[in-house]
């Protein structure tokens, strides 16, 4: 990024990752990740306009004239929402991504970093997964619409680079958690859902019951670590091909470890139990962060228990106003 004035526009700025980027920009002094002189950061919300509407999307670009874009906005939903409306998730996300990238090209945006998802990887694959495997087979059938729309971002990035010389790239985070997450008991990811469940069990002095055996393994990345890596990618990553943003393989933790860490962070005093009549889901989805650590070898991830403690503290302090 040049020393001239930059306008960095973040779509989906009110979500988990957008809020984390805003926190880093406002609070981190390290010049590798914090706000730099001459930068103006714009965090879009749905109130700024509907990105599925070409005219509204163009108006946003005309208003802010961004030099750089971090593209987080997407139509997202849980398992059952995706299964019931795969076409809607495909079409809406395809249109959002097309509008953002097309306008980025039309308005001369210097760089775009789009957010993908590990669900884009083939359903049947070998582990650990890496950046070369994105297009090697169909994704899981439950959310094929969303997954294929996200894959098409990589195709569009390549096309815009080859045809117009645009510097558009993408990143693939693993399981993200942190402040400003969605803590809904049903339609949330595992960590925020378990935090909320443990909170209610503590309030009612009942058992904290976790579905499944607790044995599946996951790589969890703290949203504020991911935010730093988004900023680093925007400033330093030179390739068009996607980059996996993840903790190392050896930092995988089991769902049982997660539940026990939540119990400690919440000072929960009742019983922790696992409902083994419930399905575990996929045992592991290990991703390699070798490429990331080769390019940014000095990056330090927040220890999982520390990140979880900060998330629990934010949850309890903001319980009345959080997404739940």
């Amino acid at each position: 990024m040049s020393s001239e004035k930059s306008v960095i526009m973040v779509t989906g700025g009110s979500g988990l990752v957008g809020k984390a980027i805003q926190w880093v920009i406002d609070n981190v002094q390290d010049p590798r990740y914090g706000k730099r002189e001459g930068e103006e950061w714009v965090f879009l919300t749905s109130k700024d306009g509907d990105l599925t509407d070409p005219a509204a999307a163009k108006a946003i670009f005309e208003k802010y004239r961004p030099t750089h874009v971090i593209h987080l906005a997407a139509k997202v939903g849980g398992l059952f929402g995706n299964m019931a409306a795969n076409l809607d998730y495909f079409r809406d996300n395809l249109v959002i991504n097309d509008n953002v990238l097309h306008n980025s090209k039309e308005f001369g945006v210097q760089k775009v970093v789009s957010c993908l998802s590990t669900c884009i990887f083939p359903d049947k694959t070998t582990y650990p997964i890496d950046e070369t495997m994105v297009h090697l087979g169909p994704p899981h059938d439950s959310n094929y619409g969303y997954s294929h729309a996200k894959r098409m971002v990589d195709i569009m990035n390549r096309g815009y680079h080859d045809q117009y010389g645009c510097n558009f790239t993408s990143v693939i985070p693993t399981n993200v958690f942190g402040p400003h997450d969605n803590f809904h008991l049903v339609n949330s990811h595992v960590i925020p859902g378990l935090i909320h469940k443990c909170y209610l069990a503590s309030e009612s002095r009942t058992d904290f019951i976790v579905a499944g055996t607790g044995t599946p393994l996951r790589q969890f990345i703290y949203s504020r670590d991911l935010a730093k890596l988004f900023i680093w990618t925007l400033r330093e990553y030179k390739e068009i091909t996607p980059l996996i943003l993840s903790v190392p393989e050896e930092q995988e933790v089991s769902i049982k470890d997660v539940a026990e860490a939540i119990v400690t962070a919440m000072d929960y005093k009742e019983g922790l139990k696992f409902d083994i009549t419930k399905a575990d889901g996929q045992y592991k989805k290990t991703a390699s962060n070798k490429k990331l650590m080769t390019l940014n070898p000095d990056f330090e991830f927040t220890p999982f228990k520390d990140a979880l403690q900060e998330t629990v503290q934010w949850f309890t302090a903001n319980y009345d106003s959080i997404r739940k």
Side-chain angles (χ1 to χ4, degrees):
M1 294 172 66
S2 69
S3 58
E4 298 178 7
K5 183 181 177 183
S6 300
V7 178
I8 303 100
M9 186 172 77
V10 182
T11 72
S14 62
L16 169 63
V17 181
K19 284 291 189 182
I21 293 174
Q22 190 167 4
W23 185 90
V24 170
I25 290 300
D26 290 343
N27 294 280
V28 172
Q29 301 302 313
D30 187 331
R32 293 175 299 173
Y33 309 115
K35 185 177 182 179
R36 293 179 177 176
E37 186 176 351
E39 288 183 346
E40 176 187 350
W41 286 76
V42 176
F43 293 87
L44 300 182
T45 72
S46 57
K47 294 178 182 177
D48 288 286
D50 179 2
L51 289 174
T52 64
D53 179 353
K58 182 180 180 181
I60 289 170
F61 277 78
E62 286 179 332
K63 178 179 180 179
Y64 293 109
R65 299 278 169 172
T67 58
H68 301 75
V69 172
I70 294 178
H71 176 36
L72 308 174
K75 177 185 174 72
V76 296
L79 173 64
F80 297 109
N82 274 275
M83 290 175 66
N86 264 294
L87 178 62
D88 292 345
Y89 282 92
F90 178 73
R91 294 187 68 212
D92 286 352
N93 283 296
L94 205 61
V95 170
I96 290 170
N97 299 332
D98 185 49
N99 284 336
V100 169
L101 295 180
H102 172 70
N103 281 291
S104 293
K105 176 257 179 183
E106 291 293 298
F107 284 83
V109 171
Q110 296 170 29
K111 187 168 184 179
V112 179
V113 179
S114 295
C115 186
L116 308 185
S117 166
T118 53
C119 72
I120 70 175
F121 284 101
D123 180 37
K124 294 178 172 57
T125 188
T126 55
Y127 295 97
I129 50 180
D130 65 38
E131 291 86 354
T132 67
M133 299 177 175
V134 171
H135 301 285
L136 295 185
H140 194 274
D141 206 45
S142 63
N143 60 352
Y144 66 85
Y146 177 83
S147 300
H148 277 295
K150 285 292 188 180
R151 281 188 183 187
M152 290 304 102
V153 172
D154 180 44
I155 301 300
M156 287 192 282
N157 286 345
R158 288 160 56 187
Y160 276 109
H161 177 263
D162 293 347
Q163 200 164 331
Y164 299 107
C166 297
N167 189 8
F168 300 169
T169 190
S170 58
V171 295
I172 309 171
T174 49
N175 304 274
V176 192
F177 73 99
H180 298 280
D181 209 337
N182 173 13
F183 293 87
H184 192 277
L185 289 169
V186 178
N187 298 322
S188 65
H189 293 114
V190 60
I191 287 182
L194 288 178
I195 287 173
H196 194 179
K197 200 170 187 179
C198 185
Y199 174 85
L200 294 177
S202 181
E203 290 291 297
S204 61
R205 296 188 176 182
T206 55
D207 287 337
F208 173 31
I209 301 174
V210 179
T213 65
T215 56
L217 300 171
R218 294 291 182 268
Q219 289 160 292
F220 293 104
I221 185 168
Y222 188 36
S223 60
R224 291 173 179 173
D225 289 346
L226 179 60
K228 291 178 183 178
L229 290 172
F230 258 100
I231 296 164
W232 171 85
T233 301
L234 185 72
R235 292 170 175 168
E236 305 296 339
Y237 184 58
K238 307 301 184 187
E239 300 179 29
I240 303 301
T241 52
L243 178 66
I244 291 173
L245 302 182
S246 173
V247 299
E249 297 170 48
E250 58 268 23
Q251 290 186 28
E252 275 185 320
V253 295
S254 71
I255 302 304
K256 181 174 183 288
D257 292 335
V258 171
E260 290 175 346
I262 290 171
V263 164
T264 300
M266 284 207 157
D267 197 26
Y268 170 73
K269 300 298 187 184
E270 310 302 322
L272 169 61
K273 295 183 178 179
F274 293 87
D275 182 359
I276 61 174
T277 67
K278 298 292 197 310
D280 272 335
Q282 196 168 343
Y283 174 62
K284 63 189 300 182
K285 302 178 180 179
T286 313
S288 170
N289 78 341
K290 183 177 180 180
K291 183 176 180 180
L292 168 65
M293 298 314 294
T294 299
L295 296 170
N296 190 1
D298 298 327
F299 188 80
E300 295 183 4
F301 292 93
T302 305
F304 175 72
K305 290 183 179 179
D306 293 348
L308 190 66
Q309 181 72 53
E310 290 180 16
T311 304
V312 166
Q313 288 174 346
W314 183 90
F315 169 87
T316 53
N318 295 277
Y319 184 77
D320 290 339
S321 60
I322 60 171
R323 289 186 290 163
K324 61 181 186 294

